[in-house]
Amino acid sequence: MKRLAIACLLILLPAAVGAAPACGNTAAGFEAWKAGFATEARRAGVGTRGLQALAQARYATRTIAADRNQKSFRYSLEKFMQLRGADAIVAEGRRRKARDPAFYASLERAYGVPSGVLIAIHGMETGFGRFMGDSPVVSAITTLAYDCRRSDFFVPHALAALTLVDRGEISINTRGARHGELGHTQFLPGNALTYGVDGNGDGRIDFYDISDALASTANFLHRKGWRPGRGYQPAEPNFAVIRQWNAASVYQQAIALMAARIDR
């Protein structure tokens, strides 16, 4: 039934997005936009809890500031890796792999994705879970859906976030990154809804649980076309899949390089 509900939501999203209320570039119109967006959310199948979360969402000024100032992706690869602490990520990544080889091997068996890739993403995104964000997810993602800069991109993620609230997987109090990303590997809500996996078998999907988060990350890469046993450096088959995870070229190259060092 859960899969059927998700499928129905995704079918309804295009119609909902097409009829979305007008975007804005300041906080002034956010409350009026929410009122209109609630109608579209209801039409897309969002229930009572999701609509209540939307009503409680606040315009996220820090999210807008972060969205306008993404400087790190403009650096050279060398500078980017230095700023992100690539050597430290590799060193800790190797320790993690050595400490729990069965866990990472099980993910590779299930999804075909090498340990190094998952570990590098985990380290890059949140420092292995040390900082998973301090922004209210629902407020952040609805603010971006309202903001004119990339409204079309974020509206489906906002609807997905409200659906995750309905399902009890997040709440109005859940905190994540400035763009509304969730958990250990920073899933956008739409991707969380589509690719989330119950990695530890407890009957729920929790992106703040490392098993669920890494299984979901592996599932994302697998379903995006990861080819087991093939390379993932630039010009190799699986590098195109890493590009599906993050659109920034410097990020993609950094993940590939760190993953190879971890997997040595």
Side-chain angles (χ1 to χ4, degrees):
M1 289 299 292
K2 283 186 178 180
R3 290 183 179 178
L4 178 60
I6 293 170
C8 290
L9 171 68
L10 295 177
I11 290 169
L12 288 169
L13 285 184
V17 171
C23 62
N25 291 313
T26 70
F30 186 58
E31 292 301 317
W33 176 88
K34 285 197 308 178
F37 191 61
T39 300
E40 308 311 326
R42 193 177 295 109
R43 188 177 299 161
V46 174
T48 301
R49 287 197 293 185
L51 293 171
Q52 288 173 343
L54 174 61
Q56 295 175 57
R58 298 292 176 262
Y59 185 81
T61 304
R62 293 192 305 166
T63 287
I64 295 301
D67 193 55
R68 302 288 190 270
N69 190 35
Q70 300 186 64
K71 291 181 179 179
S72 65
F73 293 131
R74 303 171 195 165
Y75 292 128
S76 68
L77 176 60
E78 181 180 4
K79 181 69 171 177
F80 180 80
M81 291 185 70
Q82 179 186 2
L83 289 173
R84 291 297 187 99
D87 289 343
I89 289 172
V90 169
E92 181 166 350
R94 287 172 174 167
R95 288 193 295 270
R96 285 174 172 263
K97 183 177 178 180
R99 189 164 61 238
D100 198 358
F103 170 63
Y104 293 105
S106 70
L107 292 175
E108 184 163 2
R109 283 195 304 273
Y111 301 102
V113 181
S115 304
V117 174
L118 301 176
I119 293 169
I121 289 172
H122 191 195
M124 178 76 84
E125 293 289 351
T126 63
F128 301 105
R130 289 190 182 91
F131 183 70
M132 292 186 274
D134 58 4
S135 296
V137 167
V138 174
S139 290
I141 205 72
T142 53
T143 296
L144 290 167
Y146 160 72
D147 186 65
C148 289
R149 182 167 178 259
R150 290 190 286 168
S151 183
D152 287 347
F153 176 79
F154 282 107
V155 161
H157 289 294
L159 291 170
L162 301 181
T163 301
L164 291 171
V165 173
D166 275 338
R167 290 169 50 172
E169 293 179 14
I170 65 172
S171 74
I172 187 62
N173 298 315
T174 298
R175 294 185 177 263
R178 294 288 167 83
H179 287 76
E181 302 100 324
L182 300 163
H184 279 272
T185 56
Q186 303 286 269
F187 268 81
L188 281 167
N191 292 335
L193 190 65
T194 303
Y195 302 104
V197 171
D198 175 14
N200 62 11
D202 67 354
R204 63 188 300 268
I205 301 171
D206 179 4
F207 289 89
Y208 296 84
D209 173 85
I210 188 171
S211 296
D212 289 5
L214 292 188
S216 298
T217 305
N219 185 47
F220 175 96
L221 296 171
H222 168 72
R223 289 177 57 185
K224 290 294 185 179
W226 193 275
R227 297 166 67 181
R230 305 299 296 273
Y232 52 77
Q233 297 304 308
E236 294 182 327
N238 288 319
F239 189 74
V241 184
I242 293 175
R243 292 171 63 187
Q244 296 292 315
W245 180 263
N246 188 293
S249 176
V250 69
Y251 179 104
Q252 299 156 9
Q253 295 173 72
I255 290 296
L257 289 172
M258 289 189 296
R261 291 172 62 190
I262 292 167
D263 275 337
R264 282 178 189 161

